[in-house]
Amino acid sequence: MKIIKTPKEMTSLVRGLRKKNKKIGFVPTMGYLHQGHLSLIREAKKNNDIVIVSIFVNPTQFALGEDYNKYPRDLKADVKKAKSAGCDIIFNPSVRSMYLKNPLTYVGVSGLSEVMCGSSRPNHFKGVATICTKLFNIIAPDIAYFGQKDYQQAIIIRQLVSDLNMNLRIKIMPIVREKNGLAMSSRNKYLNSKQRESASTLYRSLKHAKALIRSGEKNSSNVKRAIKKTLLKEKYTLIEYIKIVSPDLLIDKKKIDSKVLIALAVKINKTRLIDNILV
Ligand code: AMP
């Protein structure tokens, strides 16, 4: 498996692969890989000749005071895990090589980026859309794989690809969870074992909401109230949002009369966690 450190080397390697008509699957990550990431890599391996995984903690998607500096990093372990899941090439550039001095161009997807996580993290999706555009330009993949765990991110990227006529497909893969239901995330490292148990309440509340809707509840306020009640049973839980929205445009749904996305952002102690379910 190759580890590539600069955009220039990456582009030239990809050019060679293209000449050989290789189909390229791409999995963008910030590293500290877990089974959620590996599920994307395995899927990419199934459908492509070559799998490229980027490992890059992207500074422009973190606001001041967020966890950019303490975000967990372990390249050595990541290389091993990625290889075992079928990765052929790791792209692990430095911040300096990705962001040349004084960049003036950013990519923004309006509307979708301003709701849900965008309300509390105003520039987050601009950072995400910009880094994905850059990575897609460097790697020129046929298919890029994203997790439903970050649902809003995935549909923003899908919109971006469509709006800007980018020549690739976006595939969204299901959420991989711990045994207790907690969605896997690199940030779970911040939780001690008690907090991990508390954090399983996110998925419990979502499953309960799904059951309520399945049994005929159509009023979003009632469903949200039930979620809140479940979440607040755990100590140290701070709810940032509980949203019930249309899955395509993320528009608030007062009445549940078609498919909806239920999405949560919750802080357990100081760790911000997100989760969602489609019903
Ligand atoms: P990250 O390294 O957190 O930026 O995540 C990289 C990719 O892995 C994103 O597309 C995430 O949505 C996806 N991902 C993260 N956690 C999970 C999970 N538990 N299940 C499936 N995909 C995930």
Side-chain angles (χ1 to χ4, degrees), residues 6-42:
T6 66
K8 201 171 159 194
E9 279 175 276
M10 190 71 245
T11 301
S12 112
L13 180 60
V14 162
R15 256 193 210 129
L17 293 170
R18 288 249 159 263
K19 273 195 196 131
K20 290 185 203 150
N21 273 329
K22 298 288 186 197
K23 190 173 171 193
I24 297 173
F26 174 45
V27 182
T29 82
M30 298 207 297
Y32 210 71
L33 302 182
H34 51 66
Q35 287 299 326
H37 298 116
L38 302 189
S39 72
L40 306 185
I41 301 174
R42 285 191 199 102

Side-chain angles (χ1 to χ4, degrees), residues 28-31 34 36-37 39-40 71 145-150 153 173-177 183-186:
T29 82
M30 298 207 297
H34 51 66
H37 298 116
S39 72
L40 306 185
Y71 195 86
Y145 296 82
F146 287 81
Q148 188 193 318
K149 158 87 189 338
D150 301 273
Q153 164 176 283
M173 299 297 296
I175 302 176
V176 178
R177 299 179 179 280
M184 288 192 183
S185 162
S186 308

Side-chain angles (χ1 to χ4, degrees), residues 216-272:
E217 180 61 67
K218 288 199 161 34
N219 185 328
S220 285
S221 302
N222 292 343
V223 177
K224 285 182 191 172
R225 209 169 298 126
I227 293 174
K228 191 170 170 186
K229 201 170 152 198
T230 310
L231 288 174
L232 292 181
K233 273 187 200 149
E234 292 297 328
K235 257 204 260 174
Y236 312 119
T237 304
L238 191 75
I239 299 172
E240 185 184 302
Y241 67 73
I242 300 170
K243 287 280 186 181
I244 300 182
V245 296
S246 61
D248 49 352
L249 297 172
L250 308 182
I251 292 169
D252 278 316
K253 297 272 289 181
K254 283 205 171 90
K255 195 170 166 218
I256 303 167
D257 50 7
S258 55
K259 196 170 176 177
V260 290
L261 173 81
I262 311 178
L264 309 176
V266 172
K267 272 190 180 161
I268 303 280
N269 262 16
K270 284 182 185 144
T271 305
R272 185 179 181 278

